[in-house]
Amino acid sequence: MTAQTGAGRTNQKQRTRTAIVTAARELIGTGTEVTMPAIARAALVSEATAYRYFPDLPSLISEALAGVWPPPAEALAPVAASADPVERTAFACEFLLRGILARQGSVRAMIAATITRPQTVTTRPGIRFGLIDHALLPLEDTLGATDPDAFTQLKRDLAVVMSAEALFTLTDLCGLGPDEAVASAVRTASTLTEAAVRSIA
């Protein structure tokens, strides 16, 4: 095999991989159900080919979402000047949940895959954790310094509320519309943070 032939095959593989990731990203953007067969069809490859490049759906979704979510500081730029952790947390919660709603097909697929195959859970993007950390920056020198255990617990509590699982519980099981569900979660996140702030006083 000549070097030129080898380079051609390498380029073809890269094009195929790019086509699969691009198809996944475009399908995710529609908010509809995301499956490996649907992605393969959109990329004009067989499902077997898609699996040769990505061992499972979570790993493909994870790569397709890389760079789609802005970093926490950028996401929270509208409240960057605020020193109020309640306001910052409320904004972060709404930002996250609105983003989940816009990409819920892929988020549901990711959750389903990681429930049935827990070993793939590390491929799930941890968007919420960065947002929570950034939202609570004003508390680092107060609650974080005086009661680090309580500060850590607040972050855990918020991780439960600011999550796709909580959002889908509100929409699927409680029957709330998307806006009502987001508002409910934001209220809960704000209440938790407000209680932590009061504990400092």
Side-chain angles (χ1 to χ4, degrees):
M1 182 174 66
T2 66
Q4 186 174 2
T5 302
R9 288 183 179 177
T10 299
N11 290 340
Q12 179 58 50
K13 286 182 178 179
Q14 186 57 50
R15 284 195 294 271
T16 301
R17 184 183 187 88
T18 299
I20 294 169
V21 173
T22 299
R25 190 173 292 131
E26 290 174 353
L27 189 59
I28 287 167
T30 67
T32 57
E33 183 181 10
V34 176
T35 65
M36 195 66 95
I39 293 169
R41 282 195 300 274
L44 303 179
V45 300
S46 68
E47 188 177 348
T49 296
Y51 275 115
R52 276 200 298 274
Y53 286 85
F54 297 93
D56 48 50
L57 186 58
S59 62
L60 172 52
I61 291 175
S62 183
E63 182 161 332
L65 286 177
V68 171
W69 288 89
E74 184 180 327
L76 272 63
V79 291
S82 174
D84 180 0
V86 177
E87 179 186 10
R88 292 168 64 90
T89 298
F91 185 90
C93 185
E94 178 148 6
F95 175 86
L96 177 72
L97 298 187
R98 294 287 179 193
I100 289 170
L101 285 170
R103 307 171 180 90
Q104 66 173 302
S106 64
V107 178
R108 288 177 183 274
M110 183 72 85
I111 291 172
T114 54
I115 287 174
T116 56
R117 297 180 62 199
Q119 68 273 21
T120 65
V121 74
T122 54
T123 61
R124 284 183 62 175
I127 308 299
R128 76 184 94 170
F129 301 108
L131 289 172
I132 290 169
D133 286 345
H134 201 76
L136 297 181
L137 283 177
L139 291 180
E140 283 199 340
D141 294 331
T142 53
L143 184 63
T146 61
D147 195 343
D149 289 342
F151 191 42
T152 298
Q153 187 58 52
L154 172 60
K155 290 183 177 185
R156 291 192 192 117
D157 293 343
L158 289 174
V160 174
V161 176
M162 294 170 56
S163 67
E165 293 88 346
L167 178 63
F168 296 148
T169 295
L170 291 169
T171 57
D172 300 355
L173 300 181
C174 297
L176 297 184
D179 291 339
E180 292 175 298
V182 170
S184 178
V186 168
R187 227 174 6 253
T188 304
S190 298
T191 300
L192 288 168
T193 309
E194 191 172 358
V197 172
R198 280 200 307 269
S199 73
I200 303 169

